Amino acid sequence: ETWLWLPANASSFDIVVFNGQQYAPAIAEAGSYPTTWFLTDTTGPDDGGLPNVVYGTFSEAEVSYAAGYLAGLMSSSKVLGVVAGFPFYGVKRLFNGFRLGAEASCPE
C-alpha cells in the first residue's frame, strides 16, 4: 500500500516536514528514504528508532511570530495578510503571533 501523502520523489529532498497526526503512516515509511530527513510534530507510530526521523514540538505563536517578523522585513508595501482556519485557540495563537511579529519588524 502506498501512502498518498508521501511523494514518490521524496528521496530528492533533503528534509520533509509533516505537521499533524494524519501523516503518521508517511513517517512510518521514512526508512525507505535513508538519505532524507523527516521532521514531524506528531507522536506518530513506533518508527523502530529510524535515524532519519526527528520528532519535535513547537509553539504556534513562536513560529508564526518569526513568519510575521520576516514577512514585515520582506514586504515593500507593509501590507500583510493571514489566511487561517476556524478560529479555535491554536489558530488564534498563530494569527496573533504573526501580527505581533509583523508589528515588531514594521511598526508603521
Side-chain angles (χ1 to χ4, degrees):
E1 177 178 314
T2 301
W3 181 249
L4 298 178
W5 295 106
L6 191 58
N9 63 342
S11 60
S12 65
F13 297 104
D14 293 326
I15 300 173
V16 176
V17 179
F18 292 106
N19 178 21
Q21 185 65 35
Q22 67 272 24
Y23 298 109
I27 294 297
E29 294 183 23
S32 300
Y33 304 93
T35 61
T36 301
W37 285 93
F38 292 84
L39 173 63
T40 182
D41 67 335
T42 67
T43 54
D46 178 11
D47 61 23
L50 293 172
N52 61 331
V53 177
V54 178
Y55 293 100
T57 59
F58 63 91
S59 165
E60 295 94 343
E62 290 174 356
V63 295
S64 61
Y65 180 95
Y69 193 91
L70 181 60
L73 292 177
M74 296 180 68
S75 174
S76 58
S77 69
K78 304 302 181 192
V79 176
L80 306 173
V82 174
V83 177
F86 186 80
F88 66 93
Y89 191 65
V91 172
K92 287 180 181 180
R93 286 192 305 255
L94 283 167
F95 176 80
N96 290 333
F98 186 91
R99 180 182 53 81
L100 291 171
E103 288 174 352
S105 65
C106 58
E108 66 278 351

